[in-house]
Amino acid sequence: MNETALFKLTYGVHVITSKKGDRLNGQIANTAIQITNAPITISVSINKNNLTHEFIKDSKLFAVSIVAQDAPLSLIGQFGFKSGREVNKFEGVNYKLTPNGVPYVTDHILSYIELKVLQEVDAGTHTLFIGEIVGAEVLKEGTPMTYAYYHEVKKGSVPKTAPTYNPKKEQKPVSDKYVCAICGYTYDPELGDPDSGIAPGTAFADLPEDWVCPVCGASKENFDKA
Ligand code: FE
């Protein structure tokens, strides 16, 4: 069996948000897909350890915010590599609430879809939440980010709780590049870090001392040679 066959599957990149009472949380997930058209239903696969899982279980509501291709890595870092148990994911992020009180991100987002849970499927480490649409809006026109684009062009990584996490793929060795020990983001001097104003061709050693990982915010000393 060749498990790299799975790398040919395509996905988007989404912020999945929910609430529990007055508390709000969100996380990144690539596994949001439309299941049926009448009624419109969508499923998401959420790790049972994640706070968003607890919130969706509680409120039976969630929203899918579809990330634009030109979104900065920091947006994915904010929702994908931090825990809502330690930080307020919405601090410094522009968002709005639906009439049901579910948050959705408004910057670098093309559209959002709000869902009410119809069914929960126990999938071992994850729960598959199947929701029926209760609201949706287009925020701006643009190209949605795909999971492949995030990996290949943005050089992003995935946390260990993601359903598609693959240790072999995440630890692929590369030369003259540096890897963040916290989140696995790879700094490639050829690409620089345009989101943070670092020009292509900038060696890791020449990055300013206050430069931080564009995904998780870790400082330079947390990077190891790849
Ligand atoms: Fe990082």
Side-chain angles (χ1 to χ4, degrees):
M1 182 169 69
N2 182 356
E3 286 184 12
T4 64
L6 294 166
F7 299 169
K8 308 301 181 196
L9 281 168
T10 59
Y11 305 92
V13 176
H14 316 106
V15 187
I16 310 296
T17 48
S18 188
K19 65 161 187 172
K20 183 178 183 180
D22 292 337
R23 295 166 65 204
L24 308 176
N25 199 51
Q27 65 160 82
I28 298 293
N30 60 316
T31 51
I33 54 170
Q34 186 171 351
I35 304 289
T36 58
N37 193 42
I40 295 172
T41 58
I42 282 178
S43 71
V44 293
S45 173
I46 302 290
N47 190 293
K48 289 176 181 175
N49 293 326
N50 290 356
L51 191 62
T52 303
H53 186 277
E54 181 185 323
F55 281 24
I56 298 175
K57 276 261 187 192
D58 183 83
S59 65
K60 306 291 182 198
L61 292 164
F62 63 96
V64 178
S65 296
I66 298 168
V67 175
Q69 183 173 278
D70 59 2
L73 280 172
S74 57
L75 176 75
I76 294 161
Q78 175 73 8
F79 284 98
F81 287 91
K82 292 176 184 176
S83 169
R85 292 190 179 88
E86 284 147 27
V87 299
N88 174 5
K89 299 262 194 120
F90 288 91
E91 195 176 321
V93 173
N94 290 319
Y95 68 97
K96 287 182 178 170
L97 298 178
T98 68
N100 292 316
V102 180
Y104 60 92
V105 180
T106 54
D107 287 342
H108 314 294
I109 294 298
L110 300 181
S111 65
Y112 80 88
I113 305 158
E114 184 188 13
L115 302 123
K116 183 169 179 34
V117 174
L118 285 181
Q119 200 181 335
E120 297 176 13
V121 179
D122 188 329
T125 55
H126 290 64
T127 298
L128 193 65
F129 292 103
I130 299 172
E132 181 174 354
I133 192 167
V134 292
E137 294 295 340
V138 174
L139 305 185
K140 66 169 186 170
E141 294 303 325
T143 305
M145 187 183 289
T146 63
Y147 193 64
Y149 185 90
Y150 170 66
H151 275 287
E152 288 160 22
V153 182
K154 302 289 275 184
K155 298 293 174 193
S157 50
V158 300
K160 290 187 171 68
T161 53
T164 45
Y165 176 75
N166 181 308
K168 287 179 206 151
K169 195 177 184 191
E170 291 303 318
Q171 290 163 12
K172 198 162 75 178
V174 280
S175 60
D176 82 346
K177 298 171 186 174
Y178 281 76
V179 175
C180 175
I182 311 296
C183 76
Y185 162 82
T186 300
Y187 177 78
D188 182 346
E190 250 180 65
L191 302 173
D193 176 14
D195 287 351
S196 309
I198 304 296
T202 306
F204 184 81
D206 296 334
L207 290 170
E209 281 316 303
D210 60 356
W211 178 84
V212 296
C213 173
V215 175
C216 74
S219 57
K220 268 182 87 174
E221 66 222 32
N222 292 296
F223 279 71
D224 300 312
K225 202 162 183 0

